[in-house]
Amino acid sequence: MSVQRVPVLVVGGAYTGLTTALSLAARGVRPLLVERRPGGSTLPKAWGLNTRSQELLHTLPGVRRRLEAAVGDAQWPRISHGACLADPERRFLDPEGQPDPRELSSVPPLAWISQARVEAILRACAQEAGAELRHGTEMVAVAQDDEKVTATLRDAATGRRYTVEADYLVAADGNTSQLRDMLGIAVEGGGTIGHMYIITFEADLTRYVEKGAVEVIGMPGSGSSFILDGSERHTLWVDYFPERGESPEDFTEERCLERIRRAIGDPDIDVTFVNARFFPINHKLAERFRDGRVFLAGDAAHACPPNGGQGGNLAIQDAYDLSWRLALVLTGQAGPVLLDTYETERRPQVTITLEREVELAKISEGRVPASYNPADPQAPIPMPKEFLGFRYHSSAVHTEAGDDGSLQEDPWHPTGRPGGRAPHVVLTDGIRELSTHDLFGRGFVLLAGHEGGDWVVAAEKAAGTLGVNLDAYRIGEHLADRDGTWCDRYGVGPTGAVLVRPDAVVAWRAPQAAGDPEGELTAVLRAILAR
């Protein structure tokens, strides 16, 4: 019997797996993704893509156009509290007290769209890019050696078992990851710290909210909250307490309809029940994100409460950060040691978000926080400092002497230090305006000051020597710095340069010209790529 060989086997077909598959295929590595479900989910699941997730996804072929069309004008949900949806005194909690987040990126501060719709986009784009997606397929066994991972797969429809070999395997199989258990990787954290029931329904709510309203509505004291995502299908989150004797059997269709009508505040409204499902509130962190040639990502590596809406964003960011490394190794541009930096960089940042989400869950009912005050630096709500002001530290970053090792900085006052997200600066090519982030994602990018022509020449030579995908631009030549802020935001002078990784993270910078720019840049690339 023949054995199929693939470069990367991805197990799991939700946010993590689909982003991984698309990102690999876009970089010339054709993966195989297997998912035990027969097709993609049509239920909303999570909502909202933060700025970082949007910037990363926009670099992948086909995503930006589809995502912008799906989101439309729905960019930021309003949050309110009231006795019910029909409460005429429902109070809106509008964010105040922080600088305008629209200054930080060319993408919206938040794309309010359901996970199901994003996954459909990623699925279509992944297939177009050349990834093989195999639904109704379960992984039942795994083994590995120094050369490969061997997985036993089972076709759910026929029961047929067969073998696939891969250079690497990505466990994207969620919070209850079988792969994590097979590998014997323990989890830390509080475990399951609560429970909820998610009730999906259809109803005409235009008597109480505008058609297409995008809102998150809490009802203090009721243990429930609405999520309206602008579609015809709505969601009610209900607190659920099995420790008090409640069980899934209690959530009959009749009871769910009664809870929906009570939350709306209209006992006679026509409601169509769609689905009700149990949702555990978890706080889990795998003790390690790697076992040999197998990597954990997304909920398989960590799980957090849903209150701040960051679990799905972490999954997308994990997948992107892992996939560009795998692609560089598999195409011979980097050494295998580069893969060690995935966990080194991601784990500290993930931990910050997990702990904040746990604190947010303590002051929330349903999905809604009891207070929403971005002006309070102690408020445990998602903030740009967390997902745009992060700083990575690993051998894939050329850390400067005297670096303080901080994990975050103020994204409104970026320093351009290696390890941080490359700042957004508006550029123009004489015809259109674009962001520096429009240049990133395909490979490494070198940006030089307007007097840094030697760095551009050096980049071309270093790329040829090492066989690395590296684009170089001189700010002020074909790309003009519209507001004159590039040097300041990146911390370099007119003769300086910065090297940006595929994940839009500054890997290295030279504040000014060097005596041997080619030699210096080549040495930096060798170190970063573990060559």
Side-chain angles (χ1 to χ4, degrees):
M1 181 178 66
S2 63
V3 176
Q4 182 181 4
R5 181 70 184 241
V6 297
V8 180
L9 174 62
V10 182
V11 180
Y15 262 167
T16 312
L18 290 169
T19 304
T20 302
L22 171 56
S23 184
L24 286 169
R27 292 177 166 83
V29 176
R30 188 169 184 261
L32 168 63
L33 181 151
V34 297
E35 164 57 48
R36 59 183 176 80
R37 296 174 301 178
S41 173
T42 59
L43 297 172
K45 298 193 287 186
W47 286 264
L49 298 175
N50 66 29
T51 308
R52 174 67 173 165
S53 296
Q54 292 176 76
E55 287 179 343
L56 295 177
L57 291 178
H58 281 191
T59 70
L60 302 177
V63 175
R64 184 171 196 155
R65 170 178 53 83
R66 287 182 168 102
L67 189 58
E68 289 178 343
V71 172
D73 296 329
Q75 306 294 355
W76 196 284
R78 298 197 71 186
I79 299 175
S80 67
H81 285 165
C84 60
L85 181 62
D87 182 359
E89 298 181 1
R90 189 155 52 92
R91 180 172 58 91
F92 285 91
L93 309 176
D94 293 319
E96 297 178 353
Q98 70 176 26
D100 188 347
R102 292 174 295 183
E103 300 171 359
L104 303 178
S105 176
S106 62
V107 305
L110 181 70
W112 189 248
I113 182 172
S114 72
Q115 181 174 342
R117 296 181 74 188
V118 177
E119 287 179 359
I121 291 170
L122 296 176
R123 195 175 301 115
C125 293
Q127 290 175 314
E128 290 175 3
E132 181 180 358
L133 310 184
R134 199 174 293 173
H135 285 85
T137 303
E138 180 183 13
M139 199 204 72
V140 295
V142 64
Q144 62 175 313
D145 55 33
D146 292 341
E147 302 298 325
K148 64 185 181 303
V149 180
T150 303
T152 302
L153 305 179
R154 185 179 72 87
D155 184 288
T158 65
R160 181 178 71 91
R161 296 191 177 204
Y162 57 98
T163 300
V164 169
E165 294 179 348
D167 293 293
Y168 297 99
L169 188 152
V170 177
D173 53 343
N175 161 55
T176 59
S177 174
Q178 284 184 301
L179 264 167
R180 187 182 63 213
D181 293 342
M182 288 177 183
L183 296 170
I185 299 177
V187 293
E188 306 166 356
T192 299
I193 60 175
H195 306 83
M196 303 187 80
Y197 240 83
I198 309 171
I199 306 171
T200 305
F201 67 98
E202 295 175 353
D204 181 1
L205 302 179
T206 53
R207 190 182 312 172
Y208 310 109
V209 295
E210 293 183 6
K211 184 176 177 60
V214 176
E215 294 188 24
V216 180
I217 305 157
M219 290 149 276
S222 72
S224 58
S225 60
F226 277 120
I227 292 184
L228 311 181
D229 66 2
S231 70
E232 300 301 318
R233 187 164 286 186
H234 316 295
T235 305
L236 180 70
W237 290 68
V238 178
D239 285 343
Y240 161 56
F241 302 99
E243 66 273 16
R244 300 178 187 175
E246 295 182 358
S247 69
E249 289 73 27
D250 295 331
F251 286 83
T252 62
E253 180 175 337
E254 181 181 7
R255 183 183 178 189
C256 289
L257 289 172
E258 187 275 328
R259 288 296 300 262
I260 293 167
R261 291 190 174 103
R262 189 197 319 165
I264 294 172
D266 184 344
D268 301 317
I269 190 170
D270 186 25
V271 176
T272 300
F273 173 81
V274 175
N275 179 274
R277 58 210 184 275
F278 162 68
F279 185 91
I281 301 174
N282 293 305
H283 175 212
K284 297 180 180 179
L285 180 65
E287 67 177 8
R288 62 185 189 279
F289 291 3
R290 181 181 187 180
D291 186 282
R293 290 178 170 268
V294 181
F295 296 85
L296 307 186
D299 281 3
H302 45 76
C304 63
N307 304 80
Q310 296 307 302
N313 287 287
L314 290 178
I316 289 169
Q317 293 156 27
D318 279 0
Y320 196 100
D321 279 10
L322 175 58
S323 59
W324 72 261
R325 290 170 166 86
L326 285 169
L328 286 176
V329 171
L330 288 165
T331 56
Q333 297 180 67
V337 173
L338 175 67
L339 299 175
D340 292 337
T341 65
Y342 160 66
E343 178 176 352
T344 303
E345 293 184 355
R346 288 297 296 161
R347 190 182 178 89
Q349 301 299 332
V350 164
T351 299
I352 290 172
T353 299
L354 260 60
E355 296 305 319
R356 197 259 304 126
E357 290 281 65
V358 169
E359 292 304 309
L360 181 59
K362 294 177 182 178
I363 62 167
S364 299
E365 283 193 82
R367 280 289 298 268
V368 182
S371 62
Y372 186 72
N373 182 13
D376 179 4
Q378 303 304 314
I381 59 177
M383 297 289 282
K385 186 174 183 179
E386 182 180 324
F387 47 83
L388 295 181
F390 65 88
R391 296 195 65 229
Y392 288 152
H393 303 277
S394 77
S395 59
V397 172
H398 195 82
T399 304
E400 296 173 338
D403 187 274
D404 61 4
S406 59
L407 293 176
Q408 292 182 341
E409 66 178 24
D410 181 358
W412 279 280
H413 299 92
T415 64
R417 289 182 295 174
R421 165 185 168 269
H424 159 65
V425 172
V426 178
L427 306 173
T428 176
D429 61 4
I431 300 173
R432 63 189 179 104
E433 290 186 348
L434 65 157
S435 168
T436 43
H437 280 258
D438 293 324
L439 307 175
F440 307 144
R442 294 173 293 277
F444 282 83
V445 171
L446 182 126
L447 301 178
H450 67 274
E451 297 178 18
D454 288 349
W455 286 115
V456 174
V457 174
E460 294 170 352
K461 292 181 178 178
T465 299
L466 298 175
V468 174
N469 292 330
L470 171 60
D471 294 326
Y473 303 89
R474 184 153 63 92
I475 306 301
E477 186 179 23
H478 300 300
L479 295 173
D481 177 7
R482 188 194 69 179
D483 302 320
T485 61
W486 183 80
C487 285
D488 181 61
R489 285 176 175 254
Y490 281 80
V492 299
T495 63
V498 297
L499 181 68
V500 181
R501 305 186 325 191
D503 58 349
V505 167
V506 176
W508 161 90
R509 68 180 175 182
Q512 55 193 9
D516 179 13
E518 181 185 350
E520 183 168 341
L521 186 55
T522 301
V524 165
L525 282 166
R526 286 188 185 278
I528 290 169
L529 295 171
R531 294 277 292 271

